[in-house]
Amino acid sequence: MTSDPQWLTREEIRAWLTLAGLVESLPTVLSAQLKQDAGINNFDYMVLSCISDTPHQTVHMSDLAAFVGGSISRLSHTLTKMENRGWVRRRPDTDNGRFTEVALTQEGKDVVAQAAPGHVREVRRVMIDVLGHSQTLQLGTLLDQVLAAVNPDVQRVFDERFPDVDLHAYDG
């Protein structure tokens, strides 16, 4: 027999709905700015910027999928579109052919360079400037704990990408 769930309190409901509302609203806000400035959406920017931030602007497709939190199917569709635009190239990994590498082209680098300044301004406007540095780091700590429960693969990729950043140092 299944026990009744531990129902949420009104405060927990409000907190949960706030997070859910943010999760739904934020990509729309970021995509609107990116479309205006660079003609791309937030998911496209996440893909391109992830590749851009790696050594040699090349990343394994599986790590890229984890980083952007998208399915391999969605990522593959996006990469096909980007390949057709000349922004990325896919190729087998020279060291291990079981992996596919995604490399940023010069055209892709140009798109990131065009989109990045406005994106950073928008991220600052909607989060950093609202919370301030200290609360932003505290929020990162809290969200990292939730991410570990929701998608540990994404958290692993973030930890690998930012080995020098310990969000849990900002618990207090």
Side-chain angles (χ1 to χ4, degrees), residues 53-64:
D53 286 343
T54 61
H56 311 293
Q57 287 82 46
T58 302
V59 65
H60 283 149
M61 191 165 159
S62 54
D63 287 342
L64 181 58

Side-chain angles (χ1 to χ4, degrees), residues 6-27:
Q6 183 179 354
W7 296 107
L8 303 178
T9 66
R10 291 189 53 75
E11 294 84 2
E12 290 168 337
I13 292 169
R14 178 63 167 88
W16 169 249
L17 291 177
T18 298
L19 176 60
L22 177 63
V23 166
E24 293 297 322
S25 302
L26 189 57

Side-chain angles (χ1 to χ4, degrees), residues 15-16 18-20 22-23 26 127-128 131 135-152 154-156 158-159 167-168 170-171:
W16 169 249
T18 298
L19 176 60
L22 177 63
V23 166
L26 189 57
M127 185 174 136
I128 311 298
L131 297 177
Q135 284 185 316
T136 296
L137 299 180
Q138 289 173 351
L139 177 63
T141 300
L142 296 171
L143 294 177
D144 192 60
Q145 293 171 32
V146 176
L147 183 59
V150 173
N151 195 333
V154 173
Q155 187 193 39
R156 174 190 54 80
F158 289 174
D159 286 345
L167 285 176
H168 300 284
Y170 305 102
D171 282 337

Side-chain angles (χ1 to χ4, degrees), residues 102-156:
V102 182
L104 200 60
T105 65
Q106 185 58 52
E107 292 87 354
K109 291 175 191 178
D110 293 344
V111 172
V112 173
Q114 179 183 357
H119 179 70
V120 169
R121 280 191 298 273
E122 191 69 354
V123 168
R124 285 201 169 281
R125 183 187 75 79
V126 302
M127 185 174 136
I128 311 298
D129 293 346
V130 171
L131 297 177
H133 182 74
S134 179
Q135 284 185 316
T136 296
L137 299 180
Q138 289 173 351
L139 177 63
T141 300
L142 296 171
L143 294 177
D144 192 60
Q145 293 171 32
V146 176
L147 183 59
V150 173
N151 195 333
D153 288 337
V154 173
Q155 187 193 39
R156 174 190 54 80

Side-chain angles (χ1 to χ4, degrees), residues 45 48-57 67 104 112 161-162:
Y45 181 79
L48 292 171
S49 67
C50 173
I51 302 168
S52 174
D53 286 343
T54 61
H56 311 293
Q57 287 82 46
F67 186 87
L104 200 60
V112 173
R161 180 65 64 89
F162 302 99

